Amino acid sequence: MTLALPTIVAASPAELSSSSQQFDAVIAVYPTVSNDLFSAFSTLSAHSAVDKDFGSRLTVVPDQSVAGGRLLLAPTGSLNGDSDDVRKFQEITKAAVQRAQSAGAVAPLIHFSVNVKNDEDYSRYLEVSILGALAACFNPIDVREHYDKIGKSQCTIQKIGIVAGDELTPERIAFVKAVEIGRRVAKDLGSPNCERMTPIKFAEYVENYFNSKAEIKITVVKDIDVIEKEYPLLHAVARCSLSVPRHFPRVVKLEYKSDDPSMVKENLYFVGKGVTYDTGGADVKAGGMMRGMSRDKCGASSVAGFMATLAELKPKHVNVTAILGLVRNSIGSNAYVSDEVLYSRAGLRVLVGNTDAEGRMVMTDPLCECKERVLAERKSGVKTPSRLFTVATLTGHAIRAYGPYGICLDNGPARKAGISNRIQAGGHILGDPFEISTLRREDYAIVASGSAAEDVVQANDKASSATPRGHQYPMAFMAVASGLRDYGLDKEKDEQIAYTHVDIAGSAEALCGAGLSLPEVTGNPVPAFAATFLL
């Protein structure tokens, strides 16, 4: 279903030579032109002698002494500045492999003239570099289907070699391949337009993919009456779409259990927002703000991708449950509207303030279900720490506040357990950076009931980007409406439940596309989650 990965191999320096039969291009990655580069590729000194700017940008150099006769110079630029990070490797290897492919190469060999071995910021530079190279040779499912339809050949890169001495172990190759498989699943689900990936088709893709993964148990909730009963807030968002059968909602559950319970260190629960198209509902997105809303499913897409990575690695130290809420927020006479009061799964009355704040509605009831599972496990005697997460392209405020970065924020128990700090550290080493935000008392004050007619208020009547604390207070709403607020730091330690909200509005896709096209879906935060919970 996903496009097969090129073969990734550790290669020796001898393969750089033109006598190599395995590779047809060499990519030299380095920060700046130096004697180390000239030592590896002696022909470059003549170019440098006549051009002081030589090697400062991505360049193809004909060189009959290297494999394939093609040498691509791929400078990262500075690696030791205050704001430099490992993404520089990912960016240049992606660009270099794209250029190698356009030059006709099918088996590039990447050589590193860098000295970052003892720098913890670059401890995973090889994995990040390979992820960049792999990103250059992937097209999401809608593109692949079109190419099949017109008979166009797919990406031609067959093999990628890495010259890195003994650093690139089989274990590191297996890890990076698993992360890339997860990213590809996330891109396949997150990229396509809203008709190619409706809630039903999204669920079908996930079901088809994981049916071949014995490690993952999958359940798809299709019955509308069951969805209405078990996930009433999600159903309210989907209500208008029920007049169009192909837009019917789905709830997908994925469960992974370690085959060695004695080694399990934590139980993880992820809820993913999968709004396959967001019109804003009755509070319609006007003035061009609806464009790009086929990507509002990237929270659920990335959670599914993380589960795909998990299925490849089969870790023994975690159990993971994921619930994907898949809906379309449509416009029509049956749409849910502001001023409605709805009961959540937890039995709390929710006053709707803005139908364009649908993501928190979609995730609250699955979050409540995760809470119920944790409580049931504890009642049965399970003492393993449990961590709950909501993952979503939730707010424009996240982009306004932090630009192209993911955001995580903790409730009290999660903060004490350092969950957001772990995610930030994991994302940092694998090129998927995160910022840490903070849940404050003002966030709970915003959603507090002001009358006896409701227990919690869903949102104000403004866009999140025009609202102070616009990306923080939605977490407060979900904590209250799901009943999770009752399991905070004011409880005994063994009664507390850690909850972290992850807003990936800024990182799930590039901030802008080429021309008028939609931006590229990144597959984030699959790398950050993998580095945090699976390494």
Side-chain angles (χ1 to χ4, degrees):
M1 179 182 292
T2 53
L3 194 64
L5 271 63
T7 302
I8 302 168
V9 297
S12 71
E15 296 291 347
L16 296 168
S17 167
S18 58
S19 62
S20 172
Q21 300 299 308
Q22 288 200 63
F23 304 100
D24 58 5
V26 171
I27 297 171
V29 177
Y30 54 91
T32 58
V33 173
S34 66
N35 289 332
D36 287 343
L37 185 66
F38 294 151
S39 296
F41 307 100
S42 58
T43 58
L44 296 181
S45 57
H47 295 278
S48 183
V50 299
D51 183 359
K52 292 183 179 180
D53 193 47
F54 181 73
S56 65
R57 60 183 60 84
L58 181 60
T59 306
V60 179
V61 179
D63 188 341
Q64 295 307 310
S65 69
V66 303
R70 305 180 183 97
L71 177 59
L72 285 84
L73 303 182
T76 62
S78 168
L79 295 175
N80 53 16
D82 286 355
S83 60
D84 293 330
D85 62 57
V86 74
R87 286 175 297 167
K88 286 197 167 184
F89 284 97
Q90 181 169 262
E91 292 158 357
I92 195 61
T93 55
K94 179 180 179 181
V97 171
Q98 286 174 332
R99 183 65 183 90
Q101 183 173 245
S102 64
V106 298
L109 177 60
I110 303 176
H111 174 272
F112 295 91
S113 294
V114 296
N115 183 22
V116 294
K117 192 171 184 179
N118 297 318
D119 189 332
E120 62 182 13
D121 287 338
Y122 296 99
S123 61
R124 296 284 172 173
Y125 83 96
L126 287 176
E127 289 91 334
V128 174
S129 298
I130 296 170
L131 287 173
L134 291 172
C137 44
F138 176 73
N139 288 313
I141 190 170
D142 51 336
V143 177
R144 301 198 306 273
E145 288 172 342
H146 172 67
Y147 286 175
D148 286 343
K149 182 178 180 180
I150 65 174
K152 182 176 179 177
S153 62
Q154 302 283 351
C155 176
T156 57
I157 295 293
Q158 301 297 315
K159 179 165 59 176
I160 298 172
I162 306 293
V163 179
D166 58 359
E167 286 187 77
L168 190 61
T169 62
E171 292 76 17
R172 295 180 79 168
I173 292 175
F175 177 77
V176 77
K177 287 172 67 176
V179 173
E180 176 61 12
I181 287 171
R183 287 203 310 181
R184 292 185 174 202
V185 168
K187 292 176 183 181
D188 266 2
L189 291 166
S191 295
N193 73 77
C194 48
E195 287 299 327
R196 172 58 188 89
M197 207 56 75
T198 63
I200 292 173
K201 291 181 178 179
F202 189 118
E204 288 174 347
Y205 179 105
V206 174
E207 195 168 16
N208 290 337
Y209 183 84
F210 286 103
N211 273 342
S212 64
K213 307 295 180 182
E215 304 80 13
I216 306 292
K217 176 186 175 183
I218 181 167
T219 305
V220 180
V221 183
K222 303 177 181 179
D223 189 302
I224 302 302
D225 291 335
V226 172
I227 291 175
E228 182 176 15
K229 178 182 178 183
E230 300 293 330
Y231 311 99
L233 300 184
L234 180 151
H235 178 271
V237 176
R239 197 169 70 197
C240 187
S241 70
L242 298 180
S243 61
V244 183
R246 70 179 186 277
H247 294 163
F248 278 12
R250 293 288 186 265
V251 175
V252 177
K253 304 177 187 181
L254 301 166
E255 298 176 68
Y256 170 84
K257 296 289 186 183
S258 168
D259 62 8
D260 188 350
S262 67
M263 295 187 67
V264 174
K265 303 299 183 185
E266 55 189 349
N267 295 318
L268 308 177
Y269 297 82
F270 290 90
V271 175
K273 171 190 172 184
V275 177
T276 60
Y277 199 73
D278 182 17
T279 67
D283 289 305
V284 64
K285 290 180 181 291
M289 301 306 293
M290 205 181 299
R291 180 165 167 78
M293 286 299 105
S294 60
R295 302 291 177 71
D296 215 11
K297 56 189 181 297
C298 282
S301 303
S302 63
V303 171
F306 176 63
M307 296 301 288
T309 295
L310 190 77
E312 296 297 317
L313 295 175
K314 306 175 185 60
K316 296 182 181 296
H317 65 281
V318 291
N319 294 323
V320 185
T321 298
I323 304 179
L324 315 178
L326 309 175
V327 304
R328 179 178 170 120
N329 189 19
S330 297
I331 309 170
S333 59
N334 198 30
Y336 86 117
V337 295
S338 298
D339 296 355
E340 278 193 59
V341 175
L342 304 161
Y343 280 90
S344 72
R345 179 184 176 112
L348 282 87
R349 297 166 300 163
V350 173
L351 172 63
V352 177
N354 188 333
T355 66
D356 196 19
E358 83 297 331
R360 65 201 74 175
M361 300 282 282
V362 169
M363 293 190 291
T364 292
D365 292 329
L367 182 62
C368 179
E369 181 178 359
C370 292
K371 176 203 71 178
E372 294 166 1
R373 292 192 180 201
V374 171
L375 296 176
E377 287 181 350
R378 289 179 177 176
K379 190 173 182 180
S380 69
V382 175
K383 298 186 181 299
T384 306
S386 295
R387 329 289 194 191
L388 276 58
F389 303 85
T390 45
V391 185
T393 50
L394 199 67
T395 63
H397 190 275
I399 299 174
R400 173 158 289 191
Y402 289 115
Y405 298 100
I407 302 172
C408 45
L409 53 161
D410 297 327
N411 74 350
R415 187 180 71 253
K416 293 290 188 180
I419 303 302
S420 284
N421 287 325
R422 287 174 62 191
I423 294 173
Q424 186 181 56
H428 179 68
I429 64 169
L430 220 57
D432 183 6
F434 266 83
E435 302 288 357
I436 298 176
S437 195
T438 307
L439 187 67
R440 301 287 187 186
R441 60 188 180 187
E442 289 84 358
D443 302 315
Y444 285 106
I446 292 172
V447 301
S449 167
S451 80
E454 73 276 340
D455 300 307
V456 61
V457 180
Q458 171 235 27
N460 62 6
D461 60 358
K462 295 179 176 60
S464 68
S465 57
T467 302
R469 304 193 63 79
H471 73 265
Q472 292 102 325
Y473 88 86
M475 179 184 178
F477 166 78
M478 290 185 285
V480 173
S482 67
L484 261 178
R485 194 186 186 187
D486 296 335
Y487 299 90
L489 291 177
D490 53 349
K491 295 292 185 182
E492 294 296 325
K493 189 171 180 62
D494 61 357
E495 296 178 346
Q496 298 171 10
I497 299 178
Y499 165 42
T500 299
H501 173 55
V502 181
D503 194 331
I504 57 170
S507 65
E509 58 181 346
L511 284 188
C512 60
L516 296 179
S517 295
L518 294 179
E520 177 184 0
V521 171
T522 62
N524 295 339
V526 172
F529 285 171
T532 303
F533 301 112
L534 304 183
L535 273 177

Short mmCIF file of all heavy atoms in Angstrom, two decimals, residues 28-54:
data_model
loop_
_atom_site.label_atom_id
_atom_site.label_comp_id
_atom_site.label_asym_id
_atom_site.label_seq_id
_atom_site.Cartn_x
_atom_site.Cartn_y
_atom_site.Cartn_z
N ALA A 28 28.23 14.51 -1.32
CA ALA A 28 29.16 14.90 -0.25
C ALA A 28 28.47 15.91 0.65
O ALA A 28 28.10 17.00 0.20
CB ALA A 28 30.43 15.49 -0.84
N VAL A 29 28.27 15.54 1.91
CA VAL A 29 27.63 16.42 2.89
C VAL A 29 28.70 16.96 3.82
O VAL A 29 29.49 16.20 4.40
CB VAL A 29 26.55 15.65 3.68
CG1 VAL A 29 25.93 16.56 4.75
CG2 VAL A 29 25.47 15.12 2.75
N TYR A 30 28.73 18.28 3.99
CA TYR A 30 29.77 18.93 4.79
C TYR A 30 29.25 20.30 5.22
O TYR A 30 28.36 20.87 4.58
CB TYR A 30 31.05 19.10 3.97
CG TYR A 30 30.81 19.83 2.66
CD1 TYR A 30 30.93 21.21 2.59
CD2 TYR A 30 30.40 19.15 1.53
CE1 TYR A 30 30.68 21.89 1.41
CE2 TYR A 30 30.13 19.82 0.34
CZ TYR A 30 30.28 21.19 0.29
OH TYR A 30 30.00 21.86 -0.88
N PRO A 31 29.78 20.88 6.29
CA PRO A 31 29.34 22.22 6.68
C PRO A 31 29.90 23.32 5.78
O PRO A 31 29.15 24.14 5.26
CB PRO A 31 29.83 22.35 8.13
CG PRO A 31 30.89 21.33 8.28
CD PRO A 31 30.61 20.23 7.30
N THR A 32 31.21 23.32 5.58
CA THR A 32 31.87 24.29 4.70
C THR A 32 33.02 23.58 3.99
O THR A 32 33.51 22.54 4.44
CB THR A 32 32.42 25.50 5.48
OG1 THR A 32 33.35 25.03 6.46
CG2 THR A 32 31.30 26.28 6.14
N VAL A 33 33.45 24.15 2.88
CA VAL A 33 34.58 23.58 2.14
C VAL A 33 35.80 23.58 3.04
O VAL A 33 36.14 24.59 3.66
CB VAL A 33 34.84 24.40 0.86
CG1 VAL A 33 36.12 23.92 0.17
CG2 VAL A 33 33.66 24.28 -0.09
N SER A 34 36.46 22.43 3.11
CA SER A 34 37.60 22.29 4.02
C SER A 34 38.58 21.27 3.47
O SER A 34 38.32 20.60 2.46
CB SER A 34 37.12 21.83 5.40
OG SER A 34 36.58 20.51 5.31
N ASN A 35 39.70 21.13 4.15
CA ASN A 35 40.70 20.13 3.74
C ASN A 35 40.15 18.71 3.84
O ASN A 35 40.57 17.83 3.08
CB ASN A 35 41.96 20.27 4.60
CG ASN A 35 42.74 21.53 4.27
OD1 ASN A 35 42.68 22.03 3.14
ND2 ASN A 35 43.47 22.06 5.25
N ASP A 36 39.23 18.48 4.79
CA ASP A 36 38.61 17.15 4.90
C ASP A 36 37.87 16.80 3.62
O ASP A 36 37.91 15.66 3.15
CB ASP A 36 37.65 17.11 6.09
CG ASP A 36 38.35 17.10 7.42
OD1 ASP A 36 39.56 16.80 7.45
OD2 ASP A 36 37.69 17.40 8.44
N LEU A 37 37.19 17.79 3.04
CA LEU A 37 36.47 17.55 1.79
C LEU A 37 37.45 17.29 0.66
O LEU A 37 37.25 16.37 -0.15
CB LEU A 37 35.58 18.76 1.48
CG LEU A 37 34.66 18.62 0.27
CD1 LEU A 37 33.60 17.56 0.50
CD2 LEU A 37 33.99 19.96 -0.06
N PHE A 38 38.51 18.07 0.60
CA PHE A 38 39.51 17.87 -0.46
C PHE A 38 40.21 16.53 -0.31
O PHE A 38 40.59 15.90 -1.31
CB PHE A 38 40.55 19.00 -0.43
CG PHE A 38 39.98 20.36 -0.76
CD1 PHE A 38 40.55 21.50 -0.23
CD2 PHE A 38 38.89 20.50 -1.62
CE1 PHE A 38 40.03 22.76 -0.54
CE2 PHE A 38 38.38 21.74 -1.92
CZ PHE A 38 38.95 22.88 -1.39
N SER A 39 40.39 16.07 0.92
CA SER A 39 41.03 14.77 1.13
C SER A 39 40.17 13.64 0.58
O SER A 39 40.69 12.66 0.03
CB SER A 39 41.28 14.54 2.63
OG SER A 39 42.19 15.49 3.14
N ALA A 40 38.86 13.81 0.73
CA ALA A 40 37.95 12.78 0.24
C ALA A 40 37.77 12.86 -1.27
O ALA A 40 37.61 11.84 -1.94
CB ALA A 40 36.60 12.90 0.94
N PHE A 41 37.80 14.09 -1.81
CA PHE A 41 37.56 14.29 -3.24
C PHE A 41 38.61 15.27 -3.77
O PHE A 41 38.40 16.48 -3.80
CB PHE A 41 36.14 14.83 -3.47
CG PHE A 41 35.07 14.00 -2.82
CD1 PHE A 41 34.51 14.38 -1.61
CD2 PHE A 41 34.65 12.81 -3.41
CE1 PHE A 41 33.53 13.62 -1.01
CE2 PHE A 41 33.67 12.03 -2.81
CZ PHE A 41 33.12 12.42 -1.60
N SER A 42 39.73 14.74 -4.19
CA SER A 42 40.89 15.56 -4.54
C SER A 42 40.65 16.46 -5.74
O SER A 42 41.29 17.52 -5.87
CB SER A 42 42.10 14.66 -4.79
OG SER A 42 41.82 13.73 -5.84
N THR A 43 39.75 16.08 -6.63
CA THR A 43 39.51 16.89 -7.84
C THR A 43 38.89 18.24 -7.53
O THR A 43 38.89 19.14 -8.37
CB THR A 43 38.60 16.13 -8.81
OG1 THR A 43 37.36 15.82 -8.16
CG2 THR A 43 39.25 14.83 -9.27
N LEU A 44 38.35 18.39 -6.33
CA LEU A 44 37.64 19.64 -6.00
C LEU A 44 38.59 20.80 -5.77
O LEU A 44 38.19 21.96 -5.88
CB LEU A 44 36.78 19.43 -4.75
CG LEU A 44 35.63 18.43 -4.87
CD1 LEU A 44 34.86 18.37 -3.57
CD2 LEU A 44 34.68 18.82 -6.02
N SER A 45 39.84 20.53 -5.44
CA SER A 45 40.76 21.62 -5.13
C SER A 45 40.97 22.54 -6.33
O SER A 45 41.13 23.75 -6.17
CB SER A 45 42.10 21.05 -4.64
OG SER A 45 42.65 20.18 -5.61
N ALA A 46 40.95 21.98 -7.53
CA ALA A 46 41.12 22.81 -8.73
C ALA A 46 39.96 23.77 -8.90
O ALA A 46 40.13 24.94 -9.28
CB ALA A 46 41.26 21.92 -9.96
N HIS A 47 38.74 23.30 -8.65
CA HIS A 47 37.56 24.18 -8.73
C HIS A 47 37.66 25.29 -7.69
O HIS A 47 37.36 26.46 -7.98
CB HIS A 47 36.28 23.36 -8.49
CG HIS A 47 36.00 22.35 -9.53
ND1 HIS A 47 35.38 22.65 -10.72
CD2 HIS A 47 36.25 21.02 -9.57
CE1 HIS A 47 35.26 21.56 -11.46
NE2 HIS A 47 35.77 20.55 -10.78
N SER A 48 38.04 24.92 -6.47
CA SER A 48 38.11 25.90 -5.39
C SER A 48 39.16 26.96 -5.65
O SER A 48 39.01 28.12 -5.25
CB SER A 48 38.40 25.18 -4.07
OG SER A 48 38.41 26.08 -3.00
N ALA A 49 40.19 26.59 -6.38
CA ALA A 49 41.28 27.53 -6.65
C ALA A 49 40.84 28.67 -7.54
O ALA A 49 41.39 29.78 -7.45
CB ALA A 49 42.46 26.79 -7.29
N VAL A 50 39.87 28.45 -8.39
CA VAL A 50 39.43 29.49 -9.33
C VAL A 50 38.08 30.10 -8.95
O VAL A 50 37.63 31.04 -9.60
CB VAL A 50 39.35 28.94 -10.77
CG1 VAL A 50 40.72 28.47 -11.23
CG2 VAL A 50 38.34 27.81 -10.87
N ASP A 51 37.44 29.57 -7.91
CA ASP A 51 36.12 30.07 -7.52
C ASP A 51 36.02 30.08 -6.00
O ASP A 51 35.87 29.03 -5.36
CB ASP A 51 35.03 29.19 -8.12
CG ASP A 51 33.61 29.70 -7.81
OD1 ASP A 51 33.49 30.72 -7.10
OD2 ASP A 51 32.65 29.06 -8.27
N LYS A 52 36.12 31.25 -5.41
CA LYS A 52 36.09 31.36 -3.96
C LYS A 52 34.74 30.96 -3.37
O LYS A 52 34.65 30.63 -2.18
CB LYS A 52 36.44 32.79 -3.53
CG LYS A 52 37.87 33.19 -3.81
CD LYS A 52 38.16 34.59 -3.31
CE LYS A 52 39.62 34.97 -3.57
NZ LYS A 52 39.92 36.33 -3.08
N ASP A 53 33.70 31.00 -4.18
CA ASP A 53 32.36 30.65 -3.71
C ASP A 53 32.05 29.17 -3.96
O ASP A 53 30.97 28.70 -3.62
CB ASP A 53 31.32 31.53 -4.42
CG ASP A 53 29.96 31.45 -3.77
OD1 ASP A 53 29.89 31.57 -2.53
OD2 ASP A 53 28.95 31.27 -4.50
N PHE A 54 32.98 28.45 -4.53
CA PHE A 54 32.74 27.06 -4.90
C PHE A 54 32.39 26.22 -3.67
O PHE A 54 33.04 26.32 -2.63
CB PHE A 54 33.97 26.47 -5.58
CG PHE A 54 33.81 25.04 -6.00
CD1 PHE A 54 33.01 24.71 -7.10
CD2 PHE A 54 34.42 24.02 -5.29
CE1 PHE A 54 32.85 23.39 -7.48
CE2 PHE A 54 34.26 22.69 -5.68
CZ PHE A 54 33.47 22.38 -6.77
#
